[in-house]
Amino acid sequence: FKVEILPVIKLISCLFVHAFFVAIMFIVFLVSGKRPQISWIQIIYYSFAASMYALALTYLTSAIQVFFKDMAQIVSICLQFGMWLTPIMYDEAIFTSLKLNPFYYIAAGYRDSMLTGDWFFMRPTLTVYFWAVTLITMLVGLKVFKRLRPHFSDVL
C-alpha cells in the first residue's frame, strides 16, 4: 500500500499540539510534588500508538467524507461518544466491559505511565488487541482510500 501524505501531515501538525499538552502535564506533575519516574518514557510509546490509530481512522473516514459530506458530523458525534466510553473522566474499575474501545488502551496507558508506574507489557492481551484493531483499521482504511482516490477529482 502506498501511504498518502495529506493525512500524515495533518497528524504531524496535531502531534505538536499534543506535545505541548504533554509538556504541561509533566510540569503539573512536577509542580505538584510528583517525582519523575522511568515509566514516564512510555508516553512516547502511547503517543505513537494513539497516532497510528488516529491515522488509520483518518484514512478510512477522509476517503468516505469526500462522497458523504455528513461524515464529518458523524465522526464528531462518534468521537464525543467514544470519549465518554474511555476511562478519562472516571475510574476504569467502574466499567470493565469497555476495554473493547481501542482508546481505553491509550487512556489506561497514560494513567499507568504517570500514576502507577506500570509498563505496557504488563497488559499483554490488551496490547495485542489494540494493535490488531489498529492494523485491521489501517489496512481497511488504506484499501478504501486507494480504491476511492481516483474519483476524488471528479467529486471535488
Side-chain angles (χ1 to χ4, degrees):
F1 287 103
K2 181 181 170 189
V3 176
E4 297 296 326
I5 194 73
L6 285 177
V8 174
I9 290 172
K10 180 66 175 168
L11 175 71
I12 291 170
S13 68
C14 290
L15 279 175
F16 285 111
V17 175
H18 179 72
F20 175 75
F21 284 111
V22 167
I24 288 174
M25 177 179 66
F26 285 142
I27 291 168
V28 167
F29 268 74
L30 294 171
V31 167
S32 67
K34 181 101 168 137
R35 292 178 141 191
Q37 299 177 24
I38 190 70
S39 64
W40 289 10
I41 196 81
Q42 292 184 112
I43 295 300
I44 296 168
Y45 164 74
Y46 285 112
S47 295
F48 173 76
S51 299
M52 290 300 99
Y53 187 65
L55 185 62
L57 288 176
T58 301
Y59 278 124
L60 183 63
T61 58
S62 66
I64 296 170
Q65 206 262 327
V66 172
F67 301 97
F68 184 59
K69 299 298 182 195
D70 290 334
M71 188 66 176
Q73 284 78 21
I74 292 170
V75 168
S76 176
I77 291 168
C78 289
L79 287 174
Q80 179 76 334
F81 187 67
M83 194 273 302
W84 292 106
L85 292 179
T86 46
I88 297 171
M89 306 291 190
Y90 57 85
D91 183 25
E92 66 181 286
I94 296 173
F95 299 105
T96 57
S97 63
L98 295 179
K99 292 180 181 178
L100 292 177
N101 180 352
F103 250 90
Y104 169 84
Y105 177 71
I106 303 299
Y110 272 76
R111 181 181 289 149
D112 288 345
S113 298
M114 299 303 292
L115 297 175
T116 67
D118 291 346
W119 292 89
F120 71 92
F121 51 80
M122 297 172 86
R123 296 179 187 238
T125 307
L126 206 54
T127 300
V128 169
Y129 171 76
F130 172 81
W131 285 110
V133 169
T134 300
L135 182 64
I136 290 168
T137 307
M138 182 70 80
L139 292 174
V140 169
L142 285 171
K143 187 156 185 79
V144 168
F145 197 93
K146 181 181 177 185
R147 186 149 308 178
L148 295 178
R149 182 182 48 206
H151 307 289
F152 288 171
S153 61
D154 296 337
V155 176
L156 294 175

